[in-house]
């Protein structure tokens, strides 16, 4: 593996290897001294053309826990905000001599295009509406830790599936490892032809909740109201929001995931976020472990 | 053609591990404050067996842990990628005598990585090393405190340790590639 661009292109074996490795990284995170010398002397550039707090922080901590050095190219006064193009950035990174690049961009395909230009590994930290592969990895790890397996589970992805790179990466990952995936949301955000069997599309939240072992609740962007995808946030909550009452209709062991940050009181209620079925904080912890696994996977082997 | 020569059979392995257990007891005057830590993968079942022997001899079984040294290797980035597994040590090693256990002692680089790894878990009073096979060719100033069998080898030969917990049978064989009969210095 030379780059980490999307879940769709990974084999089942690679996915399993990454999850196993992430599991051992999670063990390192339980130690008092959360640092191993593995990538000492290597450097990682975080290049975020689109703002992000938790993903960038998780990548930064992951690199530091592996003893790599980190440099951040982020909004807020950096050259990225002053209009530096992707291609100028690529040339800058080459000149700086970093060993890997983590990139987020609002346009699908930018990480892949950068990977073609750069000899060093490129890691996709979310591109447009395409993929957010490390998010899928942390969702897979969280589910595997809870249930001990992924095959045979039913995973409902609820909300704005149409625009969600998280939904796409999750769909590929859970399907590859043998789970059944149900996409649920209003017809404007989950069109009927969004996926092909065996993935199921439903416009009934009740139906999805009744069958799900895992419920991934997607964030609803406020812009969707102006764009006409949803009538209003209030109406979205009334019809699609995960409330305690709705969760009571799901299986008692059903696990709640959310890629964050949550709009409490819109797509998910506070008492569900903080409730006993929520694995949301575990997802955040696992976010560091899976990114350590990806960095180790890309930088820990001899160049192919 | 590849030649294989048996070095140890099931009984020889059993006797060697029993003798190592006796030496551990003698050197440490019992098993109090002892923690056995197997280096993954085959060091772990060996550590368990030595712990069972110690229980037979002394009536108390010391705790056994497993250590994966993948994140501590000095050749990360220079050889094919390998998955790492979680380490698990059930007790604090602070102030304890840790006996590291591995199947084969060769260059010493694995043990060096293990020394780094173990100190992340605390500061043991002492660290000792037990190996089933010492095949020579050290590249670092490391020696074992307990050795099942010294086996002079050529670098191009391979020592294959098989254990029933991992491989379904107990044996140690020396694998010689074709043409290795010609004179080569053995250490």
């Amino acid at each position: 593996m030379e780059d980490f661009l999307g879940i769709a292109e990974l084999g089942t074996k690679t996915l399993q290897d990454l999850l196993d490795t992430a599991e051992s990284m999670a063990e390192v995170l339980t130690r008092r001294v959360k640092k191993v010398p593995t990538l000492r002397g290597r450097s990682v550039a975080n290049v975020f053309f689109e703002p992000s707090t938790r993903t960038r922080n998780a990548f930064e901590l992951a690199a530091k826990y592996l003893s790599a050095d980190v440099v951040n190219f982020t909004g807020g006064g950096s050259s990225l905000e002053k209009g530096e193009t992707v291609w100028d950035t690529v040339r800058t990174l080459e000149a700086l001599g970093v060993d890997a690049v983590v990139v987020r961009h609002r346009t699908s395909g930018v990480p892949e295009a950068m990977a073609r230009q750069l000899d060093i590994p490129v890691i996709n930290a979310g591109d447009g509406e395409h993929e957010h592969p490390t998010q899928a990895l942390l969702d897979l790890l969280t589910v595997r830790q809870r249930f001990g397996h992924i095959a045979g589970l039913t995973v409902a992805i609820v909300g704005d599936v149409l625009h969600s790179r998280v939904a796409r990466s999750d769909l590929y990952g859970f399907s590859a490892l043998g789970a059944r995936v149900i996409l649920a949301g209003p017809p404007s955000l989950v069109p009927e032809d969004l996926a092909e069997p065996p993935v199921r599309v439903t416009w009934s939240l009740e139906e999805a909740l009744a069958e799900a072992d895992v419920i991934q609740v997607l964030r609803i962007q406020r812009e969707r109201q102006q764009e006409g995808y949803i009538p209003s946030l209030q109406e979205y909550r009334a019809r699609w929001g995960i409330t305690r009452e709705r969760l009571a209709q799901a299986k008692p062991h059903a696990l709640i995931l959310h890629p964050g940050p949550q709009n409490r009181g819109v797509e998910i209620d506070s008492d569900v976020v903080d409730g006993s079925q929520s694995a949301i904080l575990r997802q955040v912890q696992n976010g560091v472990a899976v990114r350590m696994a990806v960095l180790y996977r890309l930088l820990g082997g001899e160049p192919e | 053609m590849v030649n294989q020569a048996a070095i140890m059979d099931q009984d020889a392995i059993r006797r060697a591990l029993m003798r190592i257990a006796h030496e551990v007891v003698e050197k440490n005057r019992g098993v109090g404050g002892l923690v056995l830590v197997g280096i993954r993968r085959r060091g772990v079942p060996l550590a368990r067996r030595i712990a069972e022997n110690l229980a037979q001899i002394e009536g108390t079984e010391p705790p056994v842990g497993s250590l994966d040294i993948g994140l501590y290797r000095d050749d990360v980035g220079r050889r094919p990628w390998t998955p790492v597994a979680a380490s698990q040590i059930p007790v604090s090693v602070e102030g304890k005598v840790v006996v590291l256990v591995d199947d084969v002692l060769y260059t010493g680089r694995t043990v060096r990585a293990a020394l780094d790894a173990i100190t992340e878990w605390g500061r043991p009073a002492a660290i000792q090393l037990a190996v089933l096979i010492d095949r020579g060719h050290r590249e670092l100033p490391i020696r074992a405190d307990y050795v099942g069998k010294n086996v002079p080898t050529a670098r191009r030969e391979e020592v294959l340790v098989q254990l029933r917990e991992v491989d379904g049978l107990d044996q140690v064989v020396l694998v010689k590639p074709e043409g290795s009969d010609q004179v080569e210095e053995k250490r």
Side-chain angles (χ1 to χ4, degrees), chain A residues 116-149:
Chain A
R116 279 198 300 269
Q117 297 280 324
L118 286 167
D119 288 335
I120 55 177
V122 174
I123 297 167
N124 182 0
D127 62 328
E129 292 166 9
H130 172 229
E131 279 227 41
H132 190 354
T134 54
Q135 175 71 41
L137 274 188
L138 73 90
D139 292 335
L140 290 165
L141 180 64
T142 305
V143 169
R144 201 178 76 165
Q145 284 173 342
R146 175 62 66 97
F147 293 96
H149 59 95

Side-chain angles (χ1 to χ4, degrees), chain B residues 62-182:
Chain B
V64 177
S66 70
L67 195 65
D68 190 292
I69 54 105
L71 300 175
Y72 298 87
R73 303 192 63 95
D74 62 4
D75 55 359
V76 168
R78 291 170 198 234
R79 48 178 221 132
W81 178 85
T82 42
V84 292
S87 298
Q88 205 208 345
I89 301 176
V91 294
S92 164
V93 299
E94 199 71 34
K96 304 278 174 55
V97 173
V98 171
V99 181
L100 281 175
V101 183
D102 204 1
D103 54 354
V104 179
L105 178 57
Y106 182 29
T107 60
R109 288 178 191 269
T110 300
V111 174
R112 187 214 59 81
L115 291 172
D116 273 359
I118 200 79
T119 48
E120 305 245 5
W121 295 75
R123 182 177 187 272
I127 301 178
Q128 300 169 358
L129 176 63
V131 297
L132 185 61
I133 303 289
D134 183 348
R135 60 168 293 189
H137 301 286
R138 216 77 74 237
E139 293 168 2
L140 298 172
I142 280 170
R143 61 158 181 80
D145 299 273
Y146 316 101
V147 178
K149 191 176 173 72
N150 284 293
V151 181
T153 61
R155 278 180 182 272
R156 49 191 312 212
E157 293 168 341
E158 193 190 342
V159 175
L160 192 65
V161 173
Q162 297 181 303
L163 298 173
R164 61 169 189 274
E165 295 90 333
V166 181
D167 311 287
L169 82 167
D170 277 355
Q171 66 170 5
V172 182
V173 289
L174 185 64
V175 183
K176 307 177 184 198
E178 190 190 7
S180 67
D181 316 343
Q182 59 212 52

Side-chain angles (χ1 to χ4, degrees), chain A residues 24 31 35 38 296-297 300 302, chain B residues 71-72 77 79 81-82 84:
Chain A
S24 11
R31 300 181 191 170
K35 204 169 181 94
T38 317
Y296 172 63
R297 179 72 175 82
E302 66 183 339
Chain B
L71 300 175
Y72 298 87
R79 48 178 221 132
W81 178 85
T82 42
V84 292

Side-chain angles (χ1 to χ4, degrees), chain A residues 11 51 55 62 74 80 110 189 201 213 226 237 267 278 299 304:
Chain A
T55 303
T74 344
L80 298 189
V110 166
L189 298 175
V201 167
D213 301 297
Q226 285 92 58
R237 175 183 185 269
E267 75 269 2
S278 163
L299 292 175
E304 280 153 39

